[in-house]
Amino acid sequence: MKNIQVIVGLGSCGIAAGANKVYDKILALKTLDKLNFDLKKTSCIGMCFREPLVEIIDEDGSYLYGNIDENKAVDLIEYHVKNGEPIKELVVKSDLFETPDKNFFEGQVKIALRNCGMIDPEKVEEYEARGGYKALRMIADMKIPQTEIIQKMIDSGLRGRGGGGFSTGMKWKFANANKSNEKYIICNADEGDPGAFMDRSLLEGDPHAVIEGMIIGAYTIGATAGVIYCRAEYPLAIKRLNIALEQARKKGFLGKNILGIEGFNLDIYVKEGAGAFVCGEETALIASVEGERGMPRKRPPFPAESGLWRKPTNINNVETFANVPWIIYNGSQEYAKYGTEKSKGTKVFALTGKINNGGLVEVPMGITIKEIIYKLGGGIQGGKKFKAVQLGGPSGGCIPEYLSNTIVDYDSVNATGAIMGSGGMVVMDETTCMVDMARFFLDFTQKESCGKCTFCRIGTKRMLEILTRITEGEGRESDVATLEELAYQIKDSSLCGLGQTAPNPVLTTLKYFKDEFVAHILEKKCPAKSCKKLLTYEVHKKNCTGCTVCAKNCPVNAIEGERKQLHFIKQDICIKCGVCFTKCKFNAITLS
Amino acid sequence: MFYKTYFRQFTILLFLIFTVKIYKKQLINMRIKRLLSKENEAIANADVNLDLLNPLIEKYKNKKGNIIPLLQGTQTMFGYIPKAAFEKIANETGLKISDMYGVATFYSQFRLNPVGKHVIKVCHGTACHVQNAGSITDSLKEALKVNDGGTTEDGLFTLESVACLGCCSLAPVMMIGDNTYGKLTSTQSVKVIKEIRLKENN
Ligand SMILES: Cc1cc2nc3c(=O)[nH]c(=O)nc-3n(C[C@H](O)[C@H](O)[C@H](O)COP(=O)(O)O)c2cc1C
Ligand code: SF4
Ligand code: SF4
Ligand code: FES
């Protein structure tokens, strides 16, 4: 038992699925029976659909167990740890034999996520053991000049992962060129796209990679201070960042004359956001760090000239920074090996929605959307029909099923009308109403508009009103034309990216799913059977056996009827939640 | 003549009623927050010990960019930002109340009203929306007899909608305190509330 390691995945997703209880149980068993194995913690390995995850490494190799609860944890200790008998049925990944989930990892190339799920994020030694801070040491030891690092970054072809896709090397070049005795480097960890969690996983799983990337960036542009602007909704990420920063200070990666580089002084601190999507935009983020309302400012001057406190500032995304140490250490050619001509390297995606294997994947650019959804993602839940995939959140759009051979790179995705965005990939099936999705995103941008530009503030509101009325069955024939006109005007006359891209979700749905708009407006029907106002739930006389299951499950007690008698739904109380429809075993609830 | 002025007044009145209606509708849709009315204020400020703010004010007093951390600190202490706290901070730091109020109303994190003991945050991010988060909020509204953003009469629960809790792969998700509940159904969500209420009543 001596050389056995038991590692529990404790990312936010694991904890939400009950991983803390599993950890406590294993710890209790270990103390109780005085067992002699190593109990360790790690973060999310990306298999969110199998959380909680426990990995056991013995002399033979590694076994990753999925969907572990407290009872199964007892079994794992009893059989595998004590008796050396792995429980093969529970293994989701192993290097010794094939598992049904093996496709999830095949085709993934982990560069940004290289350490996520492999190390304890609260121990800097584990990061260093896997090559951490070697890139920074290399720069210090070999006295690599700033211009050479810039050239390396340009050659690697790395483009910003925050959504814009601007060359990171070029950005650093501009920031480096502006001379000033005070300069700032900022890490954008605001991750505003609802439905995306790449940055959270990275910060929780490998905070030092982001910090090392920032230190290298700071050295390159000559920054004197660093800020990580992190969403307040990510308490675990903030906690682990602060632990990591303290460790980096102790080890001399932060401080004065870092690693002996004369005059290279840097400290980094975490700034908590306060909940505003627009603060992901770089000038708004700067205003927010300065303690003001997070409203975007006019560019030029660009932050590289005049940013935080009017000093030259460079802002990059979490994932961008996490790639930097790998590129410096392994060389730009190695990175540029992956990807397409204009989009190099890998990209992390958060796979969510109606997909079987929801989680985090890192794939080389150039892979098709179909491959991601069917091979890595394991296809659509419940064997339903794949309808579309949403990329880029509120600034992006949806790509319909028939374009699923589109490859992921900046230009190919842009050609469909969607954008690559930061990596949220929400999969929708035949039961998702596309008009409602467009309404959903407009509702989001309308609430999040900072209010500075008239078209963004009022235009999104008018669009939302029109979309709402369409989903409620009160659409007018002229609505589609009005929506399009408003969309182009908002795009043209907004100051920042929020307004300029807010109409995208509507424009792409109009482009690919016009028939659904027509059905809502002319026939007052929702083809996906999702828009509530256009639906009624009824009990079908013939099939109802009076089993009372529907009545018991109805959250608002809208169903009445005696046992073994026909039930009926009181339409004025029914909130159309659909529970009765899914619970009835006799197909007696109909939807029309 | 008489009829004409009468008619004009009537149309103006109609116009006014109509604009007020639109204005009200906008209030519901936008993230506008208001300080408490006079009567409620007295109740809300009654158990607020403003001296607790002293170390916070001391720490951030003359720092640049201090409005957000000051407000965040205040909210951590009281659960919301009482009007009296705005006044105290303004007096002791020289910040303008209007600036602080502007910041407090801009960010969704800040609350100007007291909240219930348990804040229920139902996620309405994209992933959760696709997985029917609407039905979770609907059944909670029904079960708690409150509107979105409202607090129950017994002060036990506040129901809120939030955008993305970062556990999208477990959608639909809600968070109460530090506990996250994933892969919810509307029936389950109501059950969770009932269990908490049961515990509180015992
Ligand atoms: C409305 C809006 C929201 C944004 N949100 C984010 C965000 O949450 N995270 C992020 O990294 N970039 C976000 N961006 C992009 C940033 O403005 C900026 O381009 C990015 O942080 C630059 O980093 P990169 O070059 O590494 O991509 C947003 C942009 C806009 C217009
Ligand atoms: S486009 Fe919208 S969010 Fe951006 S500055 Fe203008 S009003 Fe604000
Ligand atoms: S749809 Fe929901 S609210 Fe309506 S009757 Fe069925 S279970 Fe009750
Ligand atoms: S969309 Fe609900 S947790 Fe992300």
Side-chain angles (χ1 to χ4, degrees):
Chain A
M1 203 193 298
K2 243 185 199 150
N3 296 324
I4 291 188
Q5 295 179 40
V6 179
I7 309 167
V8 184
L10 292 168
S12 280
C13 39
I15 293 173
N20 268 337
K21 285 190 194 139
V22 171
Y23 183 86
D24 292 344
K25 187 84 201 173
I26 297 178
L27 185 64
L29 288 173
K30 181 173 146 83
T31 349
L32 194 71
D33 295 353
K34 301 205 174 53
L35 298 175
N36 183 16
F37 62 84
D38 275 344
L39 178 58
K40 293 182 168 177
K41 296 175 184 179
T42 187
S43 194
C44 176
I45 191 171
M47 282 186 116
C48 304
F49 59 104
R50 291 275 180 256
E51 293 282 7
L53 292 159
V54 175
E55 187 180 11
I56 298 186
I57 303 177
D58 61 18
E59 282 116 356
D60 301 331
S62 125
Y63 304 80
L64 185 65
Y65 291 101
N67 299 110
I68 299 302
D69 54 20
E70 285 168 277
N71 294 335
K72 286 183 191 156
V74 176
D75 290 347
L76 287 186
I77 299 300
E78 203 54 43
Y79 291 98
H80 194 159
V81 176
K82 282 192 185 166
N83 298 337
E85 296 164 12
I87 311 176
K88 282 200 173 176
E89 309 85 76
L90 297 179
V91 176
V92 293
K93 185 192 176 224
S94 170
D95 40 17
L96 302 167
F97 52 91
E98 290 206 340
T99 56
D101 284 331
K102 77 169 171 36
N103 281 345
F104 182 73
F105 290 96
E106 235 166 58
Q108 286 202 54
V109 176
K110 300 221 174 184
I111 294 179
L113 299 177
R114 59 194 177 277
N115 297 322
C116 286
M118 312 299 280
I119 60 167
D120 183 339
E122 297 184 9
K123 299 215 165 99
V124 62
E125 298 77 23
E126 294 198 15
Y127 176 64
E128 286 183 289
R130 284 181 60 90
Y133 288 110
K134 275 201 182 144
L136 184 62
R137 284 186 199 279
M138 194 169 94
I139 292 172
D141 293 345
M142 295 165 64
K143 303 204 165 41
I144 303 180
Q146 297 170 329
T147 45
E148 201 175 302
I149 298 177
I150 291 174
Q151 197 53 47
K152 266 193 174 191
M153 293 310 297
I154 294 177
D155 291 344
S156 74
L158 175 66
R159 293 169 69 169
R161 300 295 190 234
F166 193 78
S167 158
T168 306
M170 291 307 286
K171 214 167 174 172
W172 288 11
K173 194 172 175 177
F174 294 138
N176 173 284
N178 286 304
K179 299 293 166 228
S180 166
N181 54 356
E182 246 179 84
K183 275 192 202 177
Y184 294 97
I185 190 145
I186 298 180
C187 172
N188 189 342
D190 196 40
E191 192 151 74
D193 173 3
F197 53 95
M198 301 76 50
D199 295 351
R200 174 187 65 73
S201 288
L202 250 167
L203 294 170
E204 283 177 7
D206 196 10
H208 281 288
V210 181
I211 295 170
E212 188 181 356
M214 278 183 84
I215 300 174
I216 295 174
Y219 167 75
T220 312
I221 67 162
T224 46
V227 181
I228 304 175
Y229 187 89
C230 186
R231 294 183 77 190
E233 287 88 342
Y234 291 172
L236 190 61
I238 293 173
K239 182 183 144 213
R240 290 190 177 158
L241 272 172
N242 279 320
I243 294 175
L245 286 170
E246 198 45 50
Q247 290 168 340
R249 280 181 206 119
K250 280 216 181 94
K251 290 231 158 202
F253 301 128
L254 290 173
K256 296 237 147 63
N257 299 324
I258 294 167
L259 296 181
I261 304 173
E262 202 58 38
F264 178 32
N265 308 331
L266 178 75
D267 195 19
I268 299 176
Y269 72 97
V270 180
K271 174 99 194 164
E272 268 183 54
F277 172 65
V278 71
C279 287
E281 199 278 339
E282 43 191 26
T283 56
L285 188 152
I286 289 171
S288 181
V289 175
E290 291 173 355
E292 292 177 17
R293 290 164 72 98
M295 287 171 133
R297 294 169 179 169
K298 202 166 71 76
R299 294 181 304 181
F302 287 91
E305 280 168 61
S306 165
L308 185 58
W309 311 116
R310 308 284 176 273
K311 302 288 179 199
T313 302
N314 181 77
I315 302 183
N316 280 120
N317 165 261
V318 171
E319 192 186 330
T320 314
F321 279 126
N323 279 307
V324 170
W326 193 95
I327 294 173
I328 298 296
Y329 190 73
N330 295 285
S332 32
Q333 298 315 319
E334 199 57 29
Y335 190 77
K337 245 177 39 189
Y338 300 105
T340 60
E341 196 197 334
K342 286 192 182 151
S343 308
K344 299 290 183 201
T346 58
K347 176 81 197 84
V348 182
F349 286 102
L351 269 180
T352 58
K354 308 272 176 128
I355 189 148
N356 277 322
N357 303 350
L360 207 63
V361 297
E362 181 168 359
V363 290
M365 298 270 192
I367 188 174
T368 64
I369 288 173
K370 205 177 207 161
E371 264 177 280
I372 299 183
I373 291 173
Y374 283 100
K375 215 177 127 209
L376 304 168
I380 309 298
Q381 280 174 0
K384 292 224 169 72
K385 208 168 154 282
F386 170 40
K387 188 192 241 174
V389 57
Q390 215 283 345
L391 282 184
S395 308
C398 42
I399 299 178
E401 194 264 343
Y402 74 87
L403 288 179
S404 62
N405 277 323
T406 307
I407 57 169
V408 289
D409 77 0
Y410 289 93
D411 308 290
S412 312
V413 174
N414 282 350
T416 66
I419 62 161
M420 184 87 133
S422 57
M425 205 180 243
V426 185
V427 178
M428 300 166 213
D429 68 7
E430 55 194 322
T431 62
T432 319
C433 170
M434 300 315 284
V435 183
D436 176 62
M437 282 318 289
R439 195 202 60 81
F440 167 79
F441 282 115
L442 249 288
D443 180 53
F444 181 82
T445 34
Q446 185 269 134
K447 281 187 188 133
E448 296 295 337
S449 164
C450 82
K452 194 169 192 161
C453 316
T454 317
F455 274 84
C456 174
R457 182 181 69 240
I458 302 174
T460 53
K461 197 166 173 61
R462 293 289 97 84
M463 283 180 83
L464 175 64
E465 280 166 5
I466 296 175
L467 288 163
T468 307
R469 127 175 131 218
I470 296 177
T471 56
E472 290 178 349
E474 280 159 31
R476 302 169 197 160
E477 269 176 67
S478 59
D479 278 350
V480 170
T482 319
L483 277 176
E484 273 176 348
E485 193 193 335
L486 277 169
Y488 289 112
Q489 289 184 354
I490 294 170
K491 269 168 128 22
D492 282 347
S493 33
S494 292
L495 173 66
C496 86
L498 191 147
Q500 287 159 7
T501 59
N504 285 354
V506 180
L507 289 175
T508 53
T509 35
L510 272 174
K511 185 166 159 192
Y512 299 118
F513 298 97
K514 203 163 211 164
D515 52 328
E516 289 196 26
F517 278 87
V518 173
H520 279 77
I521 295 172
L522 296 183
E523 299 159 35
K524 312 287 176 215
K525 266 191 195 146
C526 175
K529 297 193 173 162
S530 147
C531 292
K532 284 186 182 171
K533 285 250 167 107
L534 305 178
L535 292 182
T536 34
Y537 287 88
E538 270 163 351
V539 181
H540 194 288
K541 260 188 216 147
K542 262 196 195 148
N543 290 353
C544 178
T545 61
C547 73
T548 73
V549 162
C550 57
K552 274 190 199 133
N553 280 293
C554 174
V556 294
N557 298 327
I559 309 183
E560 281 191 0
E562 294 294 315
R563 174 165 279 283
K564 301 214 171 136
Q565 303 268 312
L566 177 65
H567 283 49
F568 66 94
I569 297 175
K570 290 203 222 150
Q571 295 300 341
D572 51 333
I573 303 181
C574 172
I575 54 168
K576 298 175 184 174
C577 70
V579 163
C580 52
F581 182 75
T582 40
K583 288 281 173 185
C584 180
K585 293 190 191 95
F586 307 100
N587 284 332
I589 310 279
T590 56
L591 190 58
S592 56
Chain B
M1 193 59 195
F2 170 75
Y3 278 111
K4 233 180 179 175
T5 36
Y6 189 71
F7 182 70
R8 237 173 75 194
Q9 281 183 349
F10 182 68
T11 43
I12 289 173
L13 193 74
L14 258 186
F15 175 75
L16 275 179
I17 291 174
F18 195 62
T19 38
V20 165
K21 256 193 171 161
I22 293 177
Y23 185 61
K24 266 194 175 163
K25 215 172 146 195
Q26 295 206 341
L27 274 186
I28 296 164
N29 282 333
M30 281 164 70
R31 285 198 325 215
I32 287 188
K33 297 170 225 175
R34 296 259 174 264
L35 285 171
L36 286 178
S37 64
K38 277 271 173 304
E39 323 68 273
N40 289 340
E41 207 180 275
I43 308 167
N45 285 339
D47 48 349
V48 167
N49 177 5
L50 289 177
D51 289 340
L52 291 173
L53 287 173
N54 292 338
L56 185 78
I57 294 176
E58 211 43 54
K59 184 170 170 199
Y60 288 106
K61 204 167 179 179
N62 292 314
K63 294 219 174 113
K64 49 182 183 178
N66 56 1
I67 297 186
I68 295 179
L70 275 169
L71 294 178
Q72 279 172 334
T74 310
Q75 178 152 309
T76 316
M77 226 165 274
F78 304 119
Y80 73 108
I81 308 170
K83 189 177 171 195
F86 277 106
E87 285 159 0
K88 181 178 163 85
I89 297 174
N91 286 338
E92 293 179 21
T93 61
L95 288 167
K96 290 199 191 80
I97 284 200
S98 57
D99 285 344
M100 286 195 287
Y101 188 58
V103 170
T105 48
F106 185 83
Y107 295 99
S108 62
Q109 183 189 33
F110 298 119
R111 300 197 186 91
L112 301 179
N113 297 321
V115 280
K117 189 166 171 197
H118 302 275
V119 179
I120 309 169
K121 295 181 176 166
V122 182
C123 177
H124 283 259
T126 320
C128 291
H129 179 78
V130 171
Q131 300 283 34
N132 219 353
S135 73
I136 309 280
T137 296
D138 284 347
S139 34
L140 287 179
K141 272 194 211 162
E142 198 51 50
L144 297 170
K145 305 253 171 322
V146 290
N147 278 328
D148 199 2
T151 303
T152 52
E153 260 177 37
D154 57 4
L156 219 45
F157 296 104
T158 297
L159 181 65
E160 278 185 354
S161 296
V162 296
C164 197
L165 296 164
C167 301
C168 321
S169 40
L170 302 174
V173 179
M174 72 174 179
M175 200 170 170
I176 304 177
D178 285 338
N179 292 327
T180 311
Y181 304 83
K183 300 200 170 154
L184 279 175
T185 62
S186 40
T187 329
Q188 269 168 3
S189 65
V190 174
K191 217 172 110 195
V192 171
I193 304 304
K194 278 189 183 149
E195 275 164 16
I196 296 179
R197 179 158 271 163
L198 213 69
K199 255 192 222 154
E200 288 287 342
N201 289 345
N202 283 334

